[in-house]
Amino acid sequence: GENVEQHPSTLSVQEGDSAVIKCTYSDSASNYFPWYKQELGKGPQLIIDIRSNVGEKKDQRIAVTLNKTAKHFSLHITETQPEDSAVYFCAGSLGGKLQFGAGTQVVVTP
Amino acid sequence: EAQVTQNPRYLITVTGKKLTVTCSQNMNHEYMSWYRQDPGLGLRQIYYSMNVEVTDKGDVPEGYKVSRKEKRNFPLILESPSPNQTSLYFCASRTGTGTSPLHFGNGTRLTVT
């Protein structure tokens, strides 16, 4: 089955700086890679996703890149704000089954 | 409002006392799933259901049961809870398409003493 590894486990950034979270996956047949954001006391919520036929996707301050050859994908958050503080999960999908990474706790300090 | 509703939000119980966590969605989604979240382990799938009366094991099904008698409801049953089932549980749903977004409930914090 698919195995997704996520790094770092915690990330502290100064407000206004950029944050990058990296994930690797094991099965080259995986074709869908969503990112979820979990705020305190809530369930995860999809923030952006990318399919295997696309190399990069951007939505305002967040972007995701995918390198199929190296089997890794990354989340980039620019101009971080306090409301970006949360736990972020990457995931890889193989045959409709999502495998989640372990999560990254992002703390944006003023 | 489209949502997934879990109850209860918090539950403290003792070893061996059967419990049920309810999950209901109002989006007419075919697919529903249960996850547990533990520090350093991310979200691990317990059971999932592709539609009414169709359920299957996820990655960590031991000690859990589910049923899907109606499309909107997907309860999680712990027949004999043990302390290693202390965790944060999430129910989620999506349409039948594998690349459609998962909608999560707000979680159930379970403590088994």
Side-chain angles (χ1 to χ4, degrees), chain A residues 49-82:
Chain A
D49 57 14
I50 192 167
R51 284 160 174 76
S52 58
N53 59 347
V54 176
E56 183 173 357
K57 185 176 179 180
K58 190 174 181 181
D59 184 3
Q60 298 180 26
R61 294 187 299 107
I62 61 173
V64 58
T65 59
L66 172 65
N67 183 326
K68 286 195 297 182
T69 303
K71 290 189 284 188
H72 68 68
F73 55 112
S74 300
L75 179 72
H76 305 253
I77 308 173
T78 58
E79 301 172 16
T80 52
Q81 299 169 5

Side-chain angles (χ1 to χ4, degrees), chain B residues 1-41:
Chain B
E1 181 191 352
Q3 59 186 0
V4 177
T5 304
Q6 294 179 231
N7 280 297
R9 288 295 308 272
Y10 301 92
L11 181 56
I12 301 174
T13 189
V14 296
T15 299
K17 186 175 181 183
K18 181 179 178 180
L19 66 91
T20 300
V21 184
T22 64
C23 174
S24 181
Q25 50 94 4
N26 63 1
M27 295 167 279
N28 200 36
H29 284 167
E30 293 84 7
Y31 180 96
M32 297 186 74
S33 182
W34 277 102
Y35 294 86
R36 61 177 289 173
Q37 181 178 357
D38 301 289
L41 297 176

Side-chain angles (χ1 to χ4, degrees), chain A residues 93-110:
Chain A
S93 178
L94 182 62
K97 177 178 165 55
L98 274 183
Q99 199 72 34
F100 287 89
T104 297
Q105 173 80 57
V106 173
V107 178
V108 180
T109 55

Side-chain angles (χ1 to χ4, degrees), chain B residues 18-23 32-36 45-49 54-58 60-69 73-82 85 89-91 110:
Chain B
K18 181 179 178 180
L19 66 91
T20 300
V21 184
T22 64
C23 174
M32 297 186 74
S33 182
W34 277 102
Y35 294 86
R36 61 177 289 173
Q45 190 179 52
I46 303 170
Y47 267 94
Y48 66 96
S49 169
V54 180
T55 63
D56 208 348
K57 297 177 181 178
V60 287
E62 296 78 18
Y64 305 95
K65 283 178 58 176
V66 293
S67 68
R68 187 94 182 271
K69 294 185 171 62
N73 296 323
F74 190 45
L76 180 69
I77 303 154
L78 284 73
E79 297 251 344
S80 183
S82 62
Q85 293 178 299
Y89 291 86
F90 287 100
C91 179
L110 172 66

